[in-house]
Amino acid sequence: MRARAATIGDLENVFRDLSKRISDEYVAAGKDSKIAYDNLMMNLKEGRAHALVQGEKTVALIAWHENSDAADTLFAAQEDFFSAATVRFCKRHIRHIQALAGNLPIHSRSWLHRPDVAKWFRVIGYIERGQENGSKLFELPPAPAA
């Protein structure tokens, strides 16, 4: 797996075969796929979105937006994305995104409260920070100084 700057084609390809678990997450968050698509498109146009590519196929997009105290993530994926190998890749890649965001804490949210999602975030290095607007808030603390 590798990451690169996302393109509009990547966004369209991922949403053409969007994972049901991601669609369910959007609905639980009170959004639909169109709103998520538009939010990802905005970040893509601002240069804050990466395509996660397996072989020659884009299987996911991750985008981020810096706030004053943290960088919030947005995510879309096809079912092919969800595997142990991608979790290991994401553990490294999210630190790269964190560096691009000025080593701010990274905030990610889950509205479905699935145990596998909490485990996935823990493996990557996130800490569960409680509830926020119906979601579980996970935070990746800043990387230690080198």
Side-chain angles (χ1 to χ4, degrees):
M1 179 160 272
R2 64 187 171 87
R4 61 169 168 70
T7 66
I8 293 171
D10 294 323
L11 183 62
E12 290 171 353
N13 287 337
V14 168
F15 273 80
R16 192 172 298 121
D17 191 22
L18 193 64
S19 165
K20 179 171 177 358
R21 66 177 94 185
I22 295 296
S23 295
D24 291 348
E25 185 83 23
Y26 295 158
V27 170
K31 301 179 182 253
D32 62 19
S33 294
K34 173 72 172 119
I35 292 170
Y37 181 98
D38 291 346
N39 288 339
L40 282 160
M41 177 67 80
M42 180 183 68
N43 284 280
L44 185 152
K45 287 181 176 181
E46 294 174 356
R48 295 188 314 260
H50 287 167
L52 305 182
V53 182
Q54 202 163 36
E56 295 303 313
K57 182 182 178 189
T58 301
V59 294
L61 281 102
I62 185 164
W64 64 97
H65 184 83
E66 297 93 353
N67 294 317
S68 59
D69 62 342
D72 292 306
T73 61
L74 300 166
F75 186 70
Q78 297 178 340
E79 196 60 36
D80 294 353
F81 172 80
F82 298 100
S83 72
T86 58
V87 172
R88 288 190 297 274
F89 173 81
C90 287
K91 185 174 183 173
R92 290 185 312 273
H93 189 67
I94 197 72
R95 287 295 185 183
H96 174 69
I97 290 171
Q98 190 171 47
L100 293 172
N103 201 32
L104 288 170
I106 300 289
H107 286 174
S108 298
R109 290 162 183 79
S110 176
W111 280 263
L112 293 180
H113 310 294
R114 293 170 48 135
D116 58 332
V117 172
K119 178 182 174 189
W120 188 80
F121 279 121
R122 277 193 308 276
V123 167
I124 291 173
Y126 281 82
I127 298 164
E128 191 173 327
R129 293 290 189 206
Q131 301 285 322
E132 182 180 89
N133 298 326
S135 70
K136 275 190 182 176
L137 174 64
F138 295 91
E139 180 179 273
L140 182 68

